[in-house]
Structures are given as structure tokens and as C-alpha cells.
Amino acid sequence: MKPAPFDYHRPASLRETFDLLERYGDDGRILAGGQSLVPALNMRLATPRAVIDINRLPGLDAIRLAPEGLVIGALARHEAVERSPLVREHAPLLAMAMPHVGHEAIRTRGTVGGSLALADPAAELPACAVALDATIRVEGRRGRRDVAAAAFFHGIYTTALGPGELVIEVVIPPAPGWRSAFQELARRHGDFALAGLAARARVESGAIGEARFVFFGVGSAPLRARRAESAVAGRRVDSEAIVAAQRALAAELDPPGDVHGSPALRRHLAGVLLSRVTTRLVEGRS
Ligand SMILES: Cc1cc2nc3c(=O)[nH]c(=O)nc-3n(C[C@H](O)[C@H](O)[C@H](O)COP(=O)(O)OP(=O)(O)OC[C@H]3O[C@@H](n4cnc5c(N)ncnc54)[C@H](O)[C@@H]3O)c2cc1C
């Protein structure tokens, strides 16, 4: 299929972008990597009056270290994040997650800002952002504001972005002493996950001090499993601790069913992921 006709704009500055967003309102759509928007246009699931291509906005693709942490620009491609030595050193969880995002061709175009703004419940990056206690920096005509990742994802394809606002960058605070682990289960490599888990923990003498378990694909937004986190906190991780954490997790999960998997399957997979990831965190394996 071909898209419905639309005006095409390629602004050269943020100011020009905000002007266009104001002019078109809900009828203007930002184009970043286009890996989600272009199929939606072609299938006429989206029929905006204007497409506003932000690929030429200067400086938004940088990955840099700042006093506040690792800063990744909205236009950084998935592939750039995957290959970045700074990401590997300061946010290894992201480096582990990136190879699971679609296929290589998709990762060469798809952007960090696009994935965060889209907020697909089965996407890897939103869950990583929550697990990393990241901040999502957004900007509109009225200025910049910082939103904690934990408060950014409201539901299926729904975020804290206001009208006329763009995701500008994501800031990942330093976390010395934390280990990361990432696992997902999908029908085929490159598919969206049936269930996935982005995790971090402080591990001391074989025991987990503090943990972040953030699941994706099992709800309408990234799900921080606080009960499972509490079940392992301060404990040596043995089979008893893992069973306790799985029980705690079962009580806080209410996964959806669809053509890809039933709620029962997703619940089971989440428990398997929790066991694998907890073991890896303690053993220091990703
Ligand atoms: C076959 C296939 C498999 C895929 N598999 C996965 C997968 O396993 N995991 C996964 O996470 N993703 C997957 N994707 C999606 C891919 O990661 C996309 O790159 C991503 O979802 C959107 O990023 P984008 O830069 O392409 O955004 P676009 O498609 O350009 O835009 C997506 C949406 O976000 C908005 N937007 C984009 N940038 C901004 C911004 N800076 N500020 C505000 N709004 C913005 C757009 O207006 C649009 O509504 C897959 C895609 C395909 C085609």
C-alpha cells in the first residue's frame, strides 16, 4: 500500500520544529528513524497531514559523558548505541539489550528517541530506561523538562510527552557497583519479545543488596516488579530465594493474552526470565 498524501517538512532547528508542531497540532507527526512510522503510514494506520522529519536537527545524535551521567541524544541510532564504548562502560544494560531490537537493518535507522516516544509495551529500550533510573529530557516551545523514566510510560503507545514536545535526550545516572543482566524470549530472533526482563542489582558477597527488575511485553508499559525485588533483597540467591521471588512476581503480574501468547504463557516465561537473570546477576554473567 501507499501512504495517504502528506506535506513533508525537514526543519533545520528545534525552533522551526516547534513552529511546525504548533502549526499542524495533532495532524503533524515527527519522523525519526521511520521504522515504526513509515509502516504505519504505508498501511494507512496513520494519516497525518504533515510529516516533520527531524533527521537533520544538529547535535541530537550524540552519545556523551556529562557530570549528570551518560547522555544519549534522541537521534542516536540503535546501532550507534549498540557499538558505543561509552555505553558498554557506563550503561552495559543497554549494550546487552540492543542486539534484541529488531534486525540489524532496523537498528541502523531506528532511534533512541523514536523508541522511547513510541512506547511499545514490548520494546526493550523503555524497560531499560526504567531499570537504569534514567531521566527522559523533553522539550517544546515552552522549554525543557526532565521526566523520570518511571513516570514517562503511561500505557500502550502513551507517554508523558505533551502536545508539541519532542524527546531530546535520555540521561543515565552513574551507578558504580551495580551489575546488569538482560534476557528476553521471542518466537524468532528480531521479533518483539513475548516477555523480557531488564535488570540491575548491587551484589555483595553473593547476596543481592538492591535490585531493579523491569519486565516488558507483559503489560501495557514497562513493569517494575517491586515485590520480586524485595523478595531477593538482602538474601543469598539460592533456589529457595528464586522460588520466593517467582511467587512474589506472580502476585504482581497480570499479563495480556494475544495471538502470540496467552496470559498463562507470559506469566510462566516471566518466572523463567526472573530465575535466569537473578542467577546471572549473582554470578556476574550478563
Ligand atoms: C520488522 C521490525 C521489527 C522491530 N522489532 C523491534 C523490537 O524487537 N524491539 C523494538 O523496541 N523495536 C522494534 N522495532 C521498532 C524499531 O525499534 C523502531 O526504530 C522504533 O520503535 C521507533 O524508532 P524510530 O526512530 O524508527 O521512530 P519513528 O518510526 O520515526 O517514529 C515512531 C513514533 O515516535 C515519534 N517520534 C520519533 N522520534 C521522536 C522524538 N524524538 N520525540 C517525539 N516523538 C518522536 C514519531 O512521531 C512516531 O509516532 C521493529 C521495527 C520493525 C520494522
Side-chain angles (χ1 to χ4, degrees):
M1 278 181 76
K2 296 248 185 319
F6 53 79
D7 297 344
Y8 173 80
H9 296 275
R10 196 167 61 198
S13 68
L14 278 175
R15 178 180 287 267
E16 202 186 327
T17 310
F18 299 141
D19 286 346
L20 288 163
L21 285 171
E22 187 164 276
R23 180 162 134 206
Y24 287 101
D26 285 348
D27 255 347
R29 289 294 284 276
I30 295 294
L31 173 75
Q35 298 304 294
S36 299
L37 182 61
V38 170
L41 292 174
N42 286 344
M43 288 186 276
R44 300 200 179 197
L45 297 171
T47 52
R49 199 150 60 83
V51 167
I52 303 162
D53 179 349
I54 60 170
N55 280 278
R56 298 278 171 94
L57 291 185
L60 279 190
D61 60 350
I63 300 176
R64 63 191 165 84
L65 206 52
E68 59 188 336
L70 181 69
V71 182
I72 304 179
L75 283 178
R77 310 282 169 193
H78 301 326
E79 193 200 31
V81 174
E82 187 178 346
R83 293 177 193 276
S84 162
L86 278 178
V87 171
R88 261 201 301 279
E89 187 178 344
H90 298 280
L93 182 64
L94 282 180
M96 292 169 194
M98 273 336 207
H100 296 273
V101 178
H103 304 278
E104 198 172 350
I106 289 154
R107 298 198 294 274
T108 60
R109 290 302 301 165
T111 65
V112 167
S115 179
L116 296 173
L118 184 67
D120 190 304
E124 291 80 0
L125 267 177
C128 289
V130 176
L132 290 165
D133 294 328
T135 295
I136 296 173
R137 191 158 286 155
V138 306
E139 185 168 340
R141 193 185 273 295
R142 271 181 265 144
R144 285 193 172 193
R145 62 190 182 100
D146 284 352
V147 185
F152 185 79
F153 303 101
H154 290 180
I156 301 176
Y157 305 127
T158 317
T159 68
L161 270 176
E165 279 186 328
L166 284 184
V167 172
I168 296 296
E169 56 197 18
V170 55
V171 183
I172 297 154
W178 286 70
R179 291 181 185 171
S180 301
F182 182 94
Q183 288 266 305
E184 73 172 49
L185 293 162
R187 285 192 182 276
R188 294 167 303 190
H189 182 80
D191 281 4
F192 277 99
L194 281 168
L197 173 55
R200 282 195 311 148
R202 280 190 302 104
V203 180
E204 284 146 25
S205 322
I208 287 188
E210 194 185 345
R212 296 277 183 286
F213 294 139
V214 182
F215 285 86
F216 54 99
V218 296
S220 60
L223 182 125
R224 183 162 167 204
R226 289 178 187 270
R227 292 191 198 184
E229 289 174 6
S230 304
V232 294
R235 289 185 72 163
R236 292 194 73 78
V237 174
D238 51 18
S239 55
E240 209 177 290
I242 288 176
V243 170
Q246 286 174 324
R247 282 212 189 100
L249 174 66
E252 59 191 334
L253 273 190
D254 185 16
D258 56 28
V259 287
H260 304 294
S262 65
L265 174 68
R266 285 199 160 89
R267 196 184 288 276
H268 171 73
L269 295 180
V272 171
L273 291 172
L274 183 64
S275 167
R276 287 186 187 171
V277 158
T278 309
T279 308
R280 281 164 190 255
L281 283 170
V282 173
E283 290 175 354
R285 292 187 291 134
S286 59

